[in-house]
């Protein structure tokens, strides 16, 4: 769940209540996951002057839906897709974002006027592979000891570089490279995208593949006009 701030307060300074019960994670003081919108009947945020049941500087209260004598339900789906988004600043291609939130709810009476149920499900899938991270990797020429292109003005904002002695002509004998370092670099290069220029420039992405789900269930028993469970 996302960390919420109310009236400039810290996330763990907010008291959460769902269906009358405390809903704060005792480990970090933040909220447990809040039921998804289609499962909520009421939602209230108090920024000051909270009642004693909140116990903190500000409070968030939520009430989930319950069943009625009539059966009701809904289905929903929310879509985010790169087709609708601008390309990220450093990326040369779209980020392939595909985010879907889908689910539904249903509620009704098991025994009219006495026993009611409500249940809901929301699933979230996210797939994204943005090519928006820049780095530099050794090219085949560099690994062979030829650093002339890397030291050229094209790779150094118009300013040429020259290696100091004992290296001449911006070249290094590959035999002088650390064998352990070469082994590590070769392992990286075997899995990394190829540099797009002689400077070793590489654009890559960190794939994001997540799946989440929320399930809510509730049963209400109206024992009498004064007692409900």
């Amino acid at each position: 769940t996302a960390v919420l701030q109310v009236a400039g307060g810290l996330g763990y300074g907010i008291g959460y209540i769902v269906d009358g019960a405390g809903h704060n994670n005792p480990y970090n003081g933040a909220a447990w996951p809040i039921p998804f919108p289609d499962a909520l009947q009421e939602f209230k945020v108090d920024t000051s002057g909270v009642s004693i049941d909140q116990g903190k500087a500000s409070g968030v209260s939520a009430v989930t839906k319950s069943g009625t004598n009539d059966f009701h339900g809904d289905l929903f789906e929310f879509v985010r897709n790169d087709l609708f988004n601008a390309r990220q600043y450093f990326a040369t291609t779209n980020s392939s974002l595909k985010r879907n939130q889908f689910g539904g709810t249903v509620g009704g009476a098991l025994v009219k006027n006495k026993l009611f149920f409500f249940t809901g499900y929301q699933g979230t899938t996210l797939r994204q592979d943005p090519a928006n991270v820049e780095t530099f990797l050794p090219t085949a020429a560099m690994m062979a000891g030829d650093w002339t292109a890397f030291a050229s003005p094209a790779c150094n904002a118009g300013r040429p570089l020259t290696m100091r002695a004992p290296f001449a002509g911006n070249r290094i004998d590959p035999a002088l490279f650390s064998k352990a370092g070469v082994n590590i670099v070769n392992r990286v290069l075997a899995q990394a995208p190829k540099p797009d220029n002689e400077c070793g420039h590489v654009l890559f992405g960190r794939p994001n593949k997540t799946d989440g789900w929320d399930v809510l269930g509730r049963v209400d028993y109206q024992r009498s006009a004064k007692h409900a469970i």
Side-chain angles (χ1 to χ4, degrees):
T1 182
V3 177
L4 178 67
Q5 287 186 308
V6 177
L10 297 174
Y12 55 78
I14 304 169
Y16 293 88
I17 293 178
V18 174
D19 290 337
H23 204 66
N24 284 75
N25 185 341
Y27 178 75
N28 59 10
W32 293 110
I34 300 294
F36 54 94
D38 278 44
L40 288 178
Q41 180 68 33
E42 299 177 15
F43 185 88
K44 184 177 70 168
V45 178
D46 294 312
T47 60
S48 60
V50 298
S51 59
I52 194 172
D53 59 346
Q54 292 285 3
K56 295 196 175 185
S58 53
V60 175
S61 303
V63 178
T64 57
K65 292 181 179 178
S66 62
T68 65
N69 279 329
D70 298 320
F71 282 93
H72 294 281
D74 67 68
L75 297 173
F76 61 87
E77 180 168 7
F78 302 97
V79 178
R80 285 183 59 197
N81 193 293
D82 240 355
L83 293 174
F84 315 121
N85 295 345
R87 192 173 67 197
Q88 297 193 36
Y89 185 80
F90 290 108
T92 57
T93 60
N94 290 343
S95 69
S96 70
L97 171 66
K98 292 179 176 60
R99 186 179 189 273
N100 291 72
Q101 274 189 310
F102 52 88
T105 65
V106 63
L110 298 173
V111 178
K112 286 207 169 187
N113 299 318
K114 283 291 184 181
L115 187 61
F116 308 93
F117 79 95
F118 179 85
T119 185
Y121 167 83
Q122 175 180 276
T124 303
T125 61
L126 176 63
R127 302 291 184 270
Q128 188 174 22
D129 186 12
N132 63 346
V133 181
E134 287 189 299
T135 191
F136 289 85
L137 294 175
T139 63
M142 297 179 201
M143 296 300 292
D146 183 358
W147 292 78
T148 54
F150 184 77
S152 68
C155 297
N156 296 279
R159 180 173 59 93
L161 300 179
T162 302
M163 290 185 179
R164 297 178 180 178
F167 306 112
N170 288 325
R171 294 176 181 272
I172 303 174
D173 183 356
L176 299 177
F177 292 156
S178 164
K179 292 183 179 179
V182 169
N183 185 41
I184 293 173
V185 170
N186 285 334
R187 289 175 179 269
V188 172
L189 294 178
Q191 303 181 45
K194 300 296 182 184
D196 53 42
N197 60 27
E198 293 182 333
C199 308
H201 180 262
V202 171
L203 272 174
F204 70 97
R206 294 189 175 96
N208 187 357
K209 180 180 178 181
T210 59
D211 297 289
W213 51 271
D214 295 294
V215 177
L216 179 140
R218 170 173 173 163
V219 174
D220 296 272
Y221 176 52
Q222 193 68 37
R223 183 175 181 182
S224 67
K226 295 183 178 180
H227 296 282
I229 300 173

